């Protein structure tokens, strides 16, 4: 009595290859020897199952590796600081956003020192940002005055889509250690921006630092300088209060404002005290006005 196995075409009954691997012990068997056939078939089936399991494991592992690699890519991308503000700030951004993924550790720079972005929208400096954006030197700087509302001014300006602000105070022109790092370092502190945007940074200490006007002038003599001032006495008190609270946070003592602001002997205003000195605007302004000569 035939058992079904013998009625099957050889190719279905005894696959000569299992997942592309030859099964020689089976492919040479005569069809009529059904008993042998069955036992061999079982052998082959067992082997086939093993091989299938083996190759499925390989396939599964490959899939897992690819999946993990993809997730790793996403994870890496998420580590970077995207600058979503630009997403809404350019008419081209809706197209750019979908392409703005990628990361690499290479430090690619163009001849003028700008960070290069390749055609896929991948940054060459390990940062995630939008295609066609790059780090550019500022065209405007809020130079001060400290405690006069410089942060508010920067944030308000930054509401405009054509403005790209540096996220923190850069202190390039007033701190010698930063200035010595050079113009590329300074550019690197800037946000990614489109060509038609104005990059802006604020470092209120610039206004009162003697070297700053000349340094800015040397870098760009058409730089737009923004100065916001406040009632000098209120500004000095605000300045004192900030430092006082920092001292308190560290459980450190700090003199009273009147003891610092007034000369202890003459009781005149102590213009050597920094909070007062900063408020004598005309002295600092003279430095700026004389710079280009
Ligand atoms: N719109 C507006 N009008 C008036 N005053 C304002 C405004 N925005 C900020 N401020 C006050 O400015 C003080 C903070 O100034 P800055 O942002 O320049 O401070 S800092 O130099 O960056 O530390 C801080 O002053 P004090 O509160 O006296 O410390 C802010 O309250």
């Amino acid at each position: 009595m035939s058992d079904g196995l013998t009625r099957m075409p050889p190719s279905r009954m005894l696959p000569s290859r299992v997942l592309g691997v030859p099964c020689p012990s089976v492919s040479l068997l005569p069809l009529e020897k059904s008993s042998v056939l069955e036992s061999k078939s079982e052998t082959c089936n067992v082997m086939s199952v093993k091989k299938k399991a083996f190759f499925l494991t390989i396939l599964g592992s490959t899939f897992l590796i690819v999946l993990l690699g993809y997730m790793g890519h996403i994870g890496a991308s998420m580590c970077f600081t995207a600058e979503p503000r630009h997403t809404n700030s350019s008419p081209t951004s809706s197209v750019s956003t979908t392409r703005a993924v990628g990361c690499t550790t290479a430090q690619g720079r163009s001849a003028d020192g700008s960070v290069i972005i390749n055609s896929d929208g991948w940054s060459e400096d390990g940062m995630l940002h939008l295609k066609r954006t790059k780090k550019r030197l500022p065209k405007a700087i809020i130079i001060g005055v400290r405690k006069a509302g410089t942060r508010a001014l920067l944030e308000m300006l930054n509401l405009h889509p054509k403005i790209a602000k540096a996220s923190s105070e850069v202190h390039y022109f007033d701190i010698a250690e930063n200035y010595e790092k050079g113009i590329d370092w300074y550019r690197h502190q800037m946000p990614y921006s489109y060509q038609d945007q104005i990059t802006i940074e604020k470092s209120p200490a610039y206004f009162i630092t003697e070297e700053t006007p000349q340094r800015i002038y040397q870098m760009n003599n058409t730089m737009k300088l923004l100065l916001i001032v406040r009632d000098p006495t209120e500004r000095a008190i605000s300045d004192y209060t900030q430092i006082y609270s920092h001292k308190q946070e560290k459980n450190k003592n700090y003199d009273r404002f009147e003891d610092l602001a007034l000369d202890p002997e003459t009781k005149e205003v102590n213009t050597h005290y920094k909070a007062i000195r900063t408020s004598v605007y005309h002295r600092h302004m003279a430095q700026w006005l004389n710079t280009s000569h």
Side-chain angles (χ1 to χ4, degrees), residues 145-152 156 169 202 204 230 238 242:
V145 177
R146 175 179 147 77
K147 306 313 294 178
T150 53
R151 172 59 57 186
M156 285 181 208
E169 293 180 10
K202 80 123 181 159
R230 181 181 181 183
S238 172
Q242 187 183 41

Side-chain angles (χ1 to χ4, degrees), residues 149-285:
T150 53
R151 172 59 57 186
L153 175 61
L154 181 69
E155 296 302 331
M156 285 181 208
L157 288 172
N158 196 50
L159 294 174
H160 196 284
K162 288 288 169 69
I163 299 279
K165 63 155 187 161
S167 55
S168 56
E169 293 180 10
V170 181
H171 290 282
Y172 175 63
F173 297 105
D174 62 309
I175 295 180
E177 193 187 337
N178 289 341
Y179 191 64
E180 285 160 12
K181 289 176 186 167
I183 199 83
D184 279 347
W185 179 88
Y186 185 46
R187 191 194 325 265
H188 197 66
Q189 311 312 307
M190 297 303 143
Y192 286 94
S193 63
Y194 291 98
Q195 194 171 15
D196 62 350
Q197 286 183 306
I198 295 171
T199 297
I200 185 168
E201 72 124 332
K202 80 123 181 159
S203 298
Y206 289 165
F207 181 61
I208 60 160
T209 310
E210 213 172 301
E211 299 82 6
T212 303
Q214 190 61 37
R215 287 174 175 172
I216 293 181
Y217 186 79
Q218 274 176 359
M219 186 189 78
N220 177 1
N221 63 10
T222 64
M223 180 73 75
K224 300 288 178 286
L225 304 173
L226 303 177
L227 179 71
I228 180 169
V229 291
R230 181 181 181 183
D231 176 281
T233 306
E234 284 183 20
R235 197 221 66 81
I237 293 169
S238 172
D239 202 331
Y240 168 86
T241 307
Q242 187 183 41
I243 294 165
Y244 178 82
S245 48
H246 286 163
K247 296 276 182 190
Q248 273 202 324
E249 282 167 16
K250 295 176 184 170
N251 290 321
K252 288 184 178 172
N253 291 327
Y254 197 50
D255 292 331
R256 296 183 312 160
F257 178 74
E258 47 270 45
D259 294 339
L260 294 165
L262 299 177
D263 185 294
E265 289 173 10
T266 63
K267 300 297 175 192
E268 292 289 312
V269 172
N270 179 11
T271 52
H272 298 294
Y273 171 48
K274 193 175 176 187
I276 298 292
R277 184 159 44 90
T278 301
S279 283
V280 185
Y281 302 145
H282 72 92
R283 284 195 190 163
H284 309 294
M285 186 58 93

